[in-house]
Amino acid sequence: INAVNAALKIDAQLAKAYFLKANIYRESGDTAKAISSYETALEQNPQLHDAQYDLGLIYAAKLNPLALTYFERVIQAQPNDSLVRYAYAYTLQNINRPAEALQAYKALVTQFPNYADAHYNLGAMYFAITACKDLNKALDCFSTVIKLQPQSTPAYLARAYVYKALKNTKAAALDFKWCL
Protein backbone atom coordinates (compact mmCIF):
# COMPACT_ATOMS: atom_id res chain seq x y z
CA ILE A 1 0.00 0.00 0.00
CA ASN A 2 2.83 2.41 0.85
CA ALA A 3 4.48 1.91 -2.56
CA VAL A 4 1.16 2.35 -4.36
CA ASN A 5 0.40 5.51 -2.35
CA ALA A 6 3.84 6.85 -3.27
CA ALA A 7 3.06 6.23 -6.96
CA LEU A 8 -0.28 7.99 -6.56
CA LYS A 9 1.49 11.04 -5.08
CA ILE A 10 3.42 11.27 -8.35
CA ASP A 11 0.35 10.66 -10.53
CA ALA A 12 -3.03 10.83 -8.77
CA GLN A 13 -4.81 9.61 -11.89
CA LEU A 14 -2.89 6.35 -12.27
CA ALA A 15 -5.75 3.86 -12.70
CA LYS A 16 -3.48 0.81 -12.46
CA ALA A 17 -2.29 2.00 -9.04
CA TYR A 18 -5.85 2.17 -7.73
CA PHE A 19 -6.46 -1.25 -9.26
CA LEU A 20 -3.41 -2.67 -7.49
CA LYS A 21 -4.49 -1.03 -4.25
CA ALA A 22 -7.95 -2.61 -4.65
CA ASN A 23 -6.38 -6.03 -5.13
CA ILE A 24 -4.32 -5.60 -1.97
CA TYR A 25 -7.41 -4.62 0.02
CA ARG A 26 -9.37 -7.51 -1.47
CA GLU A 27 -6.66 -10.02 -0.58
CA SER A 28 -6.54 -8.65 2.96
CA GLY A 29 -10.32 -9.10 3.28
CA ASP A 30 -11.30 -5.44 3.28
CA THR A 31 -13.93 -5.51 0.54
CA ALA A 32 -15.26 -2.03 1.34
CA LYS A 33 -11.87 -0.44 0.63
CA ALA A 34 -11.39 -2.77 -2.34
CA ILE A 35 -14.69 -1.65 -3.85
CA SER A 36 -13.79 2.00 -3.31
CA SER A 37 -10.38 1.56 -4.95
CA TYR A 38 -11.81 -0.40 -7.91
CA GLU A 39 -14.38 2.35 -8.43
CA THR A 40 -11.67 5.00 -8.30
CA ALA A 41 -9.65 3.01 -10.83
CA LEU A 42 -12.69 2.97 -13.10
CA GLU A 43 -13.19 6.71 -12.66
CA GLN A 44 -9.64 7.17 -13.95
CA ASN A 45 -10.01 4.57 -16.73
CA PRO A 46 -13.54 3.30 -17.51
CA GLN A 47 -12.00 0.76 -19.88
CA LEU A 48 -10.21 -1.10 -17.08
CA HIS A 49 -12.14 -4.32 -17.57
CA ASP A 50 -10.24 -6.25 -14.91
CA ALA A 51 -11.57 -3.81 -12.31
CA GLN A 52 -15.11 -4.25 -13.62
CA TYR A 53 -14.71 -8.04 -13.49
CA ASP A 54 -13.32 -7.97 -9.96
CA LEU A 55 -16.13 -5.69 -8.78
CA GLY A 56 -18.56 -8.15 -10.33
CA LEU A 57 -16.96 -11.00 -8.39
CA ILE A 58 -17.17 -9.08 -5.10
CA TYR A 59 -20.83 -8.23 -5.60
CA ALA A 60 -21.60 -11.76 -6.82
CA ALA A 61 -20.14 -13.18 -3.61
CA LYS A 62 -22.59 -10.96 -1.72
CA LEU A 63 -25.44 -12.16 -3.99
CA ASN A 64 -25.89 -8.55 -5.07
CA PRO A 65 -27.42 -8.19 -8.56
CA LEU A 66 -25.13 -5.21 -9.16
CA ALA A 67 -22.56 -7.86 -10.11
CA LEU A 68 -24.47 -8.43 -13.33
CA THR A 69 -23.97 -4.82 -14.42
CA TYR A 70 -20.21 -5.12 -14.09
CA PHE A 71 -20.13 -8.48 -15.88
CA GLU A 72 -22.33 -7.11 -18.69
CA ARG A 73 -19.89 -4.25 -19.26
CA VAL A 74 -17.01 -6.68 -19.60
CA ILE A 75 -19.03 -8.96 -21.89
CA GLN A 76 -19.81 -6.00 -24.16
CA ALA A 77 -16.13 -5.13 -24.40
CA GLN A 78 -14.82 -8.70 -24.49
CA PRO A 79 -17.53 -10.95 -25.96
CA ASN A 80 -15.15 -13.90 -26.24
CA ASP A 81 -14.21 -13.94 -22.56
CA SER A 82 -15.54 -17.28 -21.32
CA LEU A 83 -14.68 -16.59 -17.67
CA VAL A 84 -16.85 -13.49 -17.41
CA ARG A 85 -19.68 -15.21 -19.27
CA TYR A 86 -19.48 -18.08 -16.78
CA ALA A 87 -19.41 -15.66 -13.83
CA TYR A 88 -22.47 -13.93 -15.27
CA ALA A 89 -24.44 -17.18 -15.66
CA TYR A 90 -23.33 -18.45 -12.25
CA THR A 91 -24.43 -15.20 -10.61
CA LEU A 92 -27.84 -15.43 -12.25
CA GLN A 93 -28.11 -18.97 -10.92
CA ASN A 94 -27.11 -17.94 -7.41
CA ILE A 95 -29.49 -14.98 -7.20
CA ASN A 96 -32.38 -17.24 -8.18
CA ARG A 97 -32.99 -16.14 -11.73
CA PRO A 98 -33.09 -19.61 -13.28
CA ALA A 99 -34.60 -18.78 -16.67
CA GLU A 100 -31.93 -16.17 -17.34
CA ALA A 101 -29.20 -18.44 -15.98
CA LEU A 102 -30.30 -21.21 -18.34
CA GLN A 103 -30.10 -18.83 -21.29
CA ALA A 104 -26.68 -17.60 -20.22
CA TYR A 105 -25.31 -21.14 -19.78
CA LYS A 106 -26.78 -22.25 -23.11
CA ALA A 107 -25.15 -19.30 -24.86
CA LEU A 108 -21.87 -20.08 -23.10
CA VAL A 109 -21.77 -23.75 -24.11
CA THR A 110 -22.79 -22.84 -27.65
CA GLN A 111 -19.89 -20.42 -27.93
CA PHE A 112 -17.50 -22.55 -25.85
CA PRO A 113 -18.59 -26.20 -26.23
CA ASN A 114 -15.66 -27.50 -24.17
CA TYR A 115 -16.46 -25.43 -21.07
CA ALA A 116 -17.10 -28.35 -18.72
CA ASP A 117 -18.15 -26.31 -15.66
CA ALA A 118 -20.88 -24.60 -17.68
CA HIS A 119 -22.20 -27.97 -18.88
CA TYR A 120 -22.12 -29.23 -15.28
CA ASN A 121 -24.06 -26.27 -13.90
CA LEU A 122 -26.54 -26.46 -16.74
CA GLY A 123 -27.07 -30.13 -15.89
CA ALA A 124 -27.49 -29.30 -12.23
CA MET A 125 -30.17 -26.77 -13.09
CA TYR A 126 -32.00 -29.24 -15.33
CA PHE A 127 -31.85 -31.80 -12.53
CA ALA A 128 -32.54 -29.82 -9.38
CA ILE A 129 -34.50 -26.68 -10.18
CA THR A 130 -38.21 -27.31 -10.58
CA ALA A 131 -38.68 -24.49 -13.09
CA CYS A 132 -35.99 -26.01 -15.33
CA LYS A 133 -36.53 -29.72 -14.66
CA ASP A 134 -35.59 -31.90 -17.64
CA LEU A 135 -33.87 -35.13 -16.66
CA ASN A 136 -32.89 -36.07 -20.20
CA LYS A 137 -31.17 -32.72 -20.72
CA ALA A 138 -29.47 -33.11 -17.33
CA LEU A 139 -28.25 -36.53 -18.42
CA ASP A 140 -26.87 -35.08 -21.66
CA CYS A 141 -25.07 -32.31 -19.79
CA PHE A 142 -23.40 -34.60 -17.26
CA SER A 143 -22.45 -37.03 -20.02
CA THR A 144 -20.83 -34.15 -21.90
CA VAL A 145 -18.80 -33.25 -18.82
CA ILE A 146 -17.64 -36.87 -18.58
CA LYS A 147 -16.57 -36.79 -22.25
CA LEU A 148 -14.65 -33.58 -21.63
CA GLN A 149 -13.23 -34.63 -18.25
CA PRO A 150 -13.26 -38.43 -18.01
CA GLN A 151 -12.03 -38.37 -14.40
CA SER A 152 -14.71 -36.00 -13.09
CA THR A 153 -16.15 -37.77 -10.06
CA PRO A 154 -18.80 -35.05 -9.47
CA ALA A 155 -20.07 -35.53 -13.04
CA TYR A 156 -20.33 -39.30 -12.62
CA LEU A 157 -22.08 -38.87 -9.28
CA ALA A 158 -24.54 -36.34 -10.69
CA ARG A 159 -25.22 -38.55 -13.69
CA ALA A 160 -25.82 -41.50 -11.36
CA TYR A 161 -28.52 -39.51 -9.55
CA VAL A 162 -30.10 -38.59 -12.86
CA TYR A 163 -30.10 -42.25 -13.94
CA LYS A 164 -31.63 -43.14 -10.59
CA ALA A 165 -34.38 -40.53 -11.07
CA LEU A 166 -34.99 -41.96 -14.56
CA LYS A 167 -35.35 -45.44 -12.96
CA ASN A 168 -32.31 -46.73 -14.85
CA THR A 169 -30.83 -48.50 -11.84
CA LYS A 170 -28.28 -50.48 -13.86
CA ALA A 171 -26.69 -47.34 -15.34
CA ALA A 172 -26.95 -45.57 -11.98
CA ALA A 173 -25.16 -48.44 -10.26
CA LEU A 174 -22.34 -48.34 -12.81
CA ASP A 175 -21.77 -44.63 -12.23
CA PHE A 176 -21.99 -45.01 -8.45
CA LYS A 177 -19.44 -47.85 -8.62
CA TRP A 178 -17.15 -45.70 -10.76
CA CYS A 179 -17.30 -43.03 -8.06
CA LEU A 180 -16.32 -45.53 -5.41
Side-chain angles (χ1 to χ4, degrees):
I1 292 290
N2 291 337
V4 173
N5 285 337
L8 287 169
K9 284 183 182 177
I10 296 168
D11 182 355
Q13 296 178 341
L14 191 59
K16 286 285 189 176
Y18 290 107
F19 177 74
L20 181 58
K21 197 173 186 177
N23 287 332
I24 294 167
Y25 285 133
R26 184 172 169 207
E27 288 295 319
S28 70
D30 191 339
T31 56
K33 286 183 179 176
I35 289 169
S36 176
S37 292
Y38 283 129
E39 288 173 346
T40 303
L42 287 171
E43 287 170 7
Q44 304 309 312
N45 179 1
Q47 304 307 311
L48 192 55
H49 304 301
D50 289 342
Q52 292 171 337
Y53 178 73
D54 288 346
L55 275 168
L57 292 177
I58 290 172
Y59 284 115
K62 298 174 183 263
L63 301 177
N64 185 328
L66 184 56
L68 300 172
T69 302
Y70 288 107
F71 292 145
E72 287 164 355
R73 289 178 188 161
V74 180
I75 290 169
Q76 284 180 339
Q78 300 172 342
N80 294 323
D81 187 330
S82 59
L83 289 177
V84 73
R85 287 187 173 278
Y86 178 80
Y88 181 77
Y90 189 67
T91 300
L92 286 166
Q93 181 181 355
N94 286 336
I95 63 172
N96 198 26
R97 290 169 57 177
E100 293 168 88
L102 274 180
Q103 281 185 327
Y105 280 128
K106 286 178 187 178
L108 179 59
V109 298
T110 298
Q111 188 174 4
F112 303 97
N114 294 330
Y115 205 118
D117 289 343
H119 284 285
Y120 184 90
N121 285 9
L122 193 55
M125 291 186 71
Y126 283 134
F127 180 69
I129 297 178
T130 304
C132 310
K133 198 98 166 162
D134 187 327
L135 295 178
N136 290 316
K137 287 182 181 179
L139 184 65
D140 289 343
C141 290
F142 294 130
S143 294
T144 298
V145 176
I146 290 167
K147 285 177 192 165
L148 295 171
Q149 298 178 342
Q151 300 302 312
S152 175
T153 303
Y156 276 98
L157 184 61
R159 189 173 73 172
Y161 281 110
V162 173
Y163 277 134
K164 185 178 174 188
L166 289 169
K167 308 286 190 235
N168 187 342
T169 55
K170 186 174 183 176
L174 288 173
D175 280 358
F176 281 128
K177 285 179 186 175
W178 188 94
C179 291
L180 295 173

